[in-house]
Amino acid sequence: MNAASPAPRRARVRAPELVGKGGWINTGGKDLKLADFRGRILILDFWTFCCVNCLHVLDELRELEEKHRDTTVIIGVHSPKFVHEAEHQAVVDAVERYGVHHPVLDDPELATWKQYAVRAWPTLVVIDPEGYVVAQHAGEGHAHALETLVGELEEEHGAKGTLRRGDGPYVAPEPVATDLRFPGKAVALPGGTFLVSDTTRHQLVELAEDGETVVRRIGTGERGFGDSPARFSEPQGLALLPDGRVIVADTVNHALRVYDPETHEVSTVAGTGRQWWQGSPAAGPAREVDLSSPWDVAWFADRVWIAMAGVHQLWTYDPATGTVAAAAGTTNEGLVDGPAAEAWFAQPSGLAAAGDRLWVADSETSALRYVERDDRGEFTVRTAVGAGLFDFGHRDGDAQQALLQHPLGVTALPDGSVAVADTYNHALRRYDPATGQVTTVATDLREPSGAVLAGEDVLVVESARHRLTRLRLPEEALRVESVAHRTRREATEIAPGELLLDVVFQAPAGQKLDTRYGPSTRLLVSSTPPELLAEGSGAGTDLSRRVVLADGVTEGVLHISAMAASCDDDPANEYPACHVHQQDWGVPVRVAAGGAGRLPLVLAGFDPDARP
């Protein structure tokens, strides 16, 4: 099945029960069953809180959730990748941190994920008022399709008498009074105070020299995008500019803002407020180019470098010319070193400049990496610690075998070493380039997401404890028992020899493929290790591809990236609205006799051969 397939009559498959050992969140303590939603349109959002694409989808769903709240219920099904994400309190924290205003099923053992045959984060499954699955969408960019489908289901089941309107089961948690709420990053201001991104409250907060007393708040505290009055949306990274102002990564607004500590004014210097999509300009006037979830910023090589977590790249902003440009990364997700333009990242989330190196906390690969500038001014990406997308843990020692777990922050220390906010290990780690050793500096932190130097101390942003914690760097490292993990996802068994990769895409109702400027679909295939594929890797425009598995390689990960563009099918409209659907899959596979000869991946639509 490929992009040219006409949309078939909507199939219906009975939806499996919703089961999760962690129980329910945002329901006031009530356990829910599928039968409780009979008569309502149900959208299951399979997500995990480490995944920036999942956070994009949460934002995409907000308007639909509000517009159709009397007919439609969104249920988040939290399906963890990392060990830390299987902790119930961590899921509770994430639900508050990211403003999730619907019920969430905590499924730490991936029971419901398996029942619905989900293969990627994020995945959306639509269930009609009679309890049947009618659609599945993977990745981002499906809000318009869901809006159309919900409208059709409202009309259809309203006429049948099977639609039940009314309030949903969401129960808001009790608010908690703290000065900060899930802070993201911090920076020292020239006057000795500290500026903190108060992420969940959509503000910046200036703290006194003690790192505790609130001096002032910047921003209204309401999610939004504006300079006067200042409004932010989940701000994260902060960096001091040479002129004493602070550049702010306004993450969910997909923008860079500047805060002046002298005048307390906020201005927007980069981004449009819209999310960048494949095919959009990746360079140009800063206020005219879209960005994608900028997570951190740093001043390096005479400009601002941006950890563009949403597209797995590093970009730059040049205040002198008022321009932005992609600087490193291909948008493919993974761990590949080399010349900056050819490297792969996976949600870079922390930056720190030190001499000719820009240190990068590459969160989804649990890696510490760096960009190095040579004598010719060329940039190269290298990895100091980290193995790839599916290997993580807490192991000290030689960097080649050391392990981190989803680090979000990195800080250059005066002695030339680097402190890493090892977020999901609740630890502060240190990497010494001189010795190649990784050590543990502090444990018993709660989701540290950044750190800033304060004299001989370091102030750690303890995000899930809603505070900055002052530490004196110890003379000797702590001794920590080593643990190593791999993702909890089970490997898919595939047959040796030829394998059909089949990305299922059906243009949503009322739309058609956008072929005005050539092929409207794109498929990129690679593998880890690269030797897994004897034939079939690389880019193409057909969403179905036959690949050949190499002899002698029995397991690995298939990396599949798919994109499809569709436009509203209205002959009377000269300028129809167009939409991009895209998703990256990293599928662990095991080659075995009797395994599958076809690997179906649903981008949008319904695959009758992959029914739950």
Side-chain angles (χ1 to χ4, degrees), residues 350-601:
L351 299 175
D356 286 334
R357 286 185 178 181
L358 177 69
W359 294 96
V360 183
D362 200 29
S363 62
E364 279 293 290
T365 55
S366 297
L368 173 64
R369 308 177 71 186
Y370 59 93
V371 178
E372 193 166 46
R373 180 172 54 175
D374 63 23
D375 295 338
R376 298 171 297 167
E378 301 291 330
F379 296 100
T380 301
V381 176
R382 306 185 193 281
T383 298
V385 182
L389 283 167
F390 300 103
D391 294 278
F392 52 92
H394 192 151
R395 181 192 289 154
D396 287 334
D398 187 81
Q400 292 184 347
Q401 56 85 49
L403 293 172
L404 308 169
Q405 186 180 178
H406 196 80
L408 290 179
V410 60
T411 305
L413 299 178
D415 65 358
S417 65
V418 184
V420 180
D422 193 6
T423 310
Y424 288 3
N425 280 329
H426 311 299
L428 189 68
R429 312 283 292 283
R430 177 193 255 156
Y431 168 67
D432 187 347
T435 64
Q437 295 293 300
V438 175
T439 55
T440 297
V441 174
T443 57
D444 195 32
L445 302 169
R446 186 67 186 172
E447 292 193 14
S449 56
V452 59
L453 293 174
E456 295 183 355
D457 300 335
V458 61
L459 281 178
V460 179
V461 182
E462 272 200 276
S463 189
R465 284 202 178 112
H466 320 293
R467 69 188 188 192
L468 268 57
T469 298
R470 187 178 295 268
L471 298 176
R472 176 63 55 91
L473 294 175
E475 293 292 332
E476 295 184 2
L478 300 177
R479 292 186 179 274
V480 178
E481 182 179 354
S482 295
V483 291
H485 303 288
R486 284 185 62 84
T487 178
R488 290 172 172 239
R489 293 174 59 191
E490 293 181 359
T492 298
E493 290 199 347
I494 55 176
E498 191 174 89
L499 174 70
L500 174 63
L501 297 179
D502 204 356
V503 175
V504 177
F505 177 77
Q506 294 148 2
Q511 296 179 29
K512 63 179 181 180
L513 289 171
D514 179 17
T515 57
R516 294 171 297 168
Y517 308 108
S520 61
T521 56
R522 173 179 177 267
L523 183 67
L524 178 67
V525 178
S526 64
S527 65
T528 302
E531 297 78 22
L532 176 64
L533 289 179
E535 298 178 23
S537 60
T541 58
D542 194 336
L543 291 182
S544 288
R545 183 182 304 179
R546 294 190 180 275
V547 301
V548 177
L549 303 168
D551 293 334
V553 183
T554 58
E555 62 180 3
V557 179
L558 291 174
H559 304 282
I560 303 103
S561 177
M563 184 274 290
S566 60
C567 294
D568 293 344
D569 189 9
D570 182 0
N573 186 352
E574 186 177 357
Y575 303 104
C578 295
H579 316 275
V580 176
H581 319 254
Q582 63 184 44
Q583 172 64 355
D584 296 333
W585 290 269
V587 183
V589 295
R590 182 181 302 110
V591 181
R598 173 179 179 256
L599 180 60
L601 301 166

Side-chain angles (χ1 to χ4, degrees), residues 86-112:
E87 298 176 14
H88 182 70
Q89 186 57 49
V91 183
V92 172
D93 288 345
V95 166
E96 180 187 353
R97 182 197 304 267
Y98 297 117
V100 180
H101 294 160
H102 50 250
V104 172
L105 175 64
D106 181 10
D107 182 19
E109 297 178 346
L110 302 181
T112 296

Side-chain angles (χ1 to χ4, degrees), residues 101-453:
H101 294 160
H102 50 250
V104 172
L105 175 64
D106 181 10
D107 182 19
E109 297 178 346
L110 302 181
T112 296
W113 163 288
K114 295 171 186 174
Q115 286 296 308
Y116 280 82
V118 175
R119 292 188 183 275
W121 299 277
T123 291
L124 299 166
V125 175
V126 182
I127 300 173
D128 72 11
E130 294 179 289
Y132 290 91
V133 174
V134 294
Q136 181 172 326
H137 302 268
E140 306 175 50
H142 302 295
H144 57 283
L146 291 174
E147 172 70 35
T148 299
L149 179 55
V150 166
E152 292 177 352
L153 292 172
E154 286 177 340
E155 183 176 351
E156 175 186 340
H157 289 273
K160 290 174 63 176
T162 51
L163 183 67
R164 175 170 58 88
R165 296 179 180 269
D167 293 333
Y170 170 68
V171 178
E174 291 293 327
V176 181
T178 53
D179 287 335
L180 302 173
R181 204 70 191 162
F182 297 104
K185 308 286 185 183
V187 66
L189 296 178
T193 58
F194 299 94
L195 191 67
V196 183
S197 54
D198 197 14
T199 303
T200 298
R201 294 212 176 111
H202 315 297
Q203 289 181 314
L204 308 179
V205 177
E206 185 178 350
L207 299 179
E209 293 183 32
D210 61 8
E212 298 178 13
T213 306
V214 175
V215 175
R216 64 176 50 84
R217 296 181 180 275
I218 301 96
T220 65
E222 297 178 350
R223 186 191 296 272
F225 189 18
D227 290 341
S228 183
R231 291 189 300 161
F232 301 92
S233 187
E234 299 182 27
Q236 287 281 351
L238 307 167
L240 201 63
L241 297 174
D243 62 8
R245 297 184 301 160
V246 177
I247 190 93
V248 181
D250 193 6
T251 304
V252 178
N253 277 329
H254 310 295
L256 297 186
R257 321 288 292 280
V258 166
Y259 168 65
D260 189 331
E262 296 294 328
T263 65
H264 311 305
E265 293 180 347
V266 173
S267 57
T268 302
V269 296
T272 63
R274 298 183 300 270
Q275 183 183 338
W276 187 92
W277 291 95
Q278 289 285 356
S280 301
R287 290 300 310 275
E288 299 175 16
V289 176
D290 299 337
L291 308 181
S292 182
S293 295
W295 209 274
D296 203 5
V297 281
W299 183 260
F300 175 67
D302 299 321
R303 60 199 59 195
V304 175
W305 285 64
I306 311 161
M308 202 75 79
V311 287
H312 317 300
Q313 288 182 304
L314 305 181
W315 285 36
T316 60
Y317 161 63
D318 186 350
T321 61
T323 57
V324 294
T330 64
T331 76
N332 297 319
E333 184 179 14
L335 194 154
V336 176
D337 291 341
E342 300 172 14
W344 291 23
F345 293 93
Q347 285 179 217
S349 301
L351 299 175
D356 286 334
R357 286 185 178 181
L358 177 69
W359 294 96
V360 183
D362 200 29
S363 62
E364 279 293 290
T365 55
S366 297
L368 173 64
R369 308 177 71 186
Y370 59 93
V371 178
E372 193 166 46
R373 180 172 54 175
D374 63 23
D375 295 338
R376 298 171 297 167
E378 301 291 330
F379 296 100
T380 301
V381 176
R382 306 185 193 281
T383 298
V385 182
L389 283 167
F390 300 103
D391 294 278
F392 52 92
H394 192 151
R395 181 192 289 154
D396 287 334
D398 187 81
Q400 292 184 347
Q401 56 85 49
L403 293 172
L404 308 169
Q405 186 180 178
H406 196 80
L408 290 179
V410 60
T411 305
L413 299 178
D415 65 358
S417 65
V418 184
V420 180
D422 193 6
T423 310
Y424 288 3
N425 280 329
H426 311 299
L428 189 68
R429 312 283 292 283
R430 177 193 255 156
Y431 168 67
D432 187 347
T435 64
Q437 295 293 300
V438 175
T439 55
T440 297
V441 174
T443 57
D444 195 32
L445 302 169
R446 186 67 186 172
E447 292 193 14
S449 56
V452 59
L453 293 174

